Amino acid sequence: MDGILQKYLPERAIDPCLELIKTYQVHLKVVNERVTRHGDYRLLPGGAHQITVNATLNPYRFLITLIHEIAHLVAFETYGRHIKPHGKEWKNTFQNLMLPFIRPAVFPSSLLPLLAKHFRNPKASSGTDAKLAIALKHYDPHADRTFVYELPFGSIFRLYNGRIFKKGNRKVKRYECVEVKTGRLYLFQPNAEVELLKEFIHEK
């Protein structure tokens, strides 16, 4: 297991994560990328605890995702399975489990203030924290991806599901984008990951 963790986690996070995995008897599976989620936790029929994490995540997002899912396990075991998946019990558990990792030996200094702010009240997904998501993206291995906020006005882009949109104006915190096929207007978070369609870029 430690050999697997060496491939996916920051070096100084390996031993503490291995200890958590052993303590809570986690069956960890590193899987191919799923565009709708970074990881998940399941209690299997035999009572085993299975956590899956995407193999394509950068080490810092992998760590956050792994602890996020372990927090589900610990919260359910501590408070019972009637609690809300991302309620106050999970938030408190996630905060406590992440605290030992939020230090310069594990994360780059540029991420530490953003992590400290995020974990005052962690959300169901770190992707909803635009500033943190954008900062984490700089460590991604995916050079062909970009965020909506980075695109010039009028850019044509594609989502993972193949739907094509045209970027419009910013409204408060989100961007108005028109689906090319239907003409319908949708609001996008600035940190939504998309593929810029270069064939629609025309030289001036």
Side-chain angles (χ1 to χ4, degrees), residues 105-169:
V106 177
F107 286 99
S109 58
S110 61
L111 292 178
L112 291 175
L114 298 172
L115 288 166
K117 183 176 180 180
H118 178 79
F119 278 97
R120 290 173 192 163
N121 184 28
K123 303 294 190 295
S125 170
S126 59
T128 59
D129 184 336
K131 289 185 178 180
L132 178 58
I134 290 166
L136 284 168
K137 179 181 180 290
H138 292 303
Y139 300 93
D140 280 351
H142 310 297
D144 60 338
R145 295 185 180 180
T146 189
F147 285 144
V148 165
Y149 88 95
E150 295 175 312
L151 302 179
F153 176 85
S155 295
I156 305 297
F157 63 89
R158 179 165 49 209
L159 297 184
Y160 67 88
N161 57 13
R163 295 168 69 186
I164 296 175
F165 293 82
K166 183 177 182 179
K167 181 181 176 181
N169 293 311

Side-chain angles (χ1 to χ4, degrees), residues 16-130:
C17 284
L18 188 59
E19 189 63 31
L20 288 172
I21 288 169
K22 290 179 178 178
T23 299
Y24 296 105
Q25 300 180 340
V26 173
H27 176 56
L28 176 63
K29 292 178 64 177
V30 182
V31 300
N32 293 330
E33 182 179 21
R34 296 158 295 179
V35 292
T36 57
R37 68 183 70 180
H38 294 310
D40 63 25
Y41 159 68
R42 295 180 185 179
L43 178 64
L44 300 180
H49 301 289
Q50 177 180 285
I51 287 175
T52 62
V53 182
N54 288 1
T56 53
L57 301 181
N58 71 53
Y60 308 114
R61 190 177 286 285
F62 193 101
L63 172 58
I64 293 169
T65 301
L66 176 59
I67 302 303
H68 175 124
E69 303 305 336
I70 291 176
H72 280 304
L73 186 169
V74 176
F76 283 135
E77 291 290 293
T78 303
Y79 301 102
R81 297 202 164 254
H82 61 281
I83 63 171
K84 294 180 180 180
H86 296 105
K88 61 180 181 180
E89 296 88 356
W90 171 81
K91 287 176 184 263
N92 291 337
T93 304
F94 193 16
Q95 288 171 326
N96 291 334
L97 290 175
M98 271 301 300
L99 189 59
F101 295 99
I102 303 177
R103 56 194 180 94
V106 177
F107 286 99
S109 58
S110 61
L111 292 178
L112 291 175
L114 298 172
L115 288 166
K117 183 176 180 180
H118 178 79
F119 278 97
R120 290 173 192 163
N121 184 28
K123 303 294 190 295
S125 170
S126 59
T128 59
D129 184 336

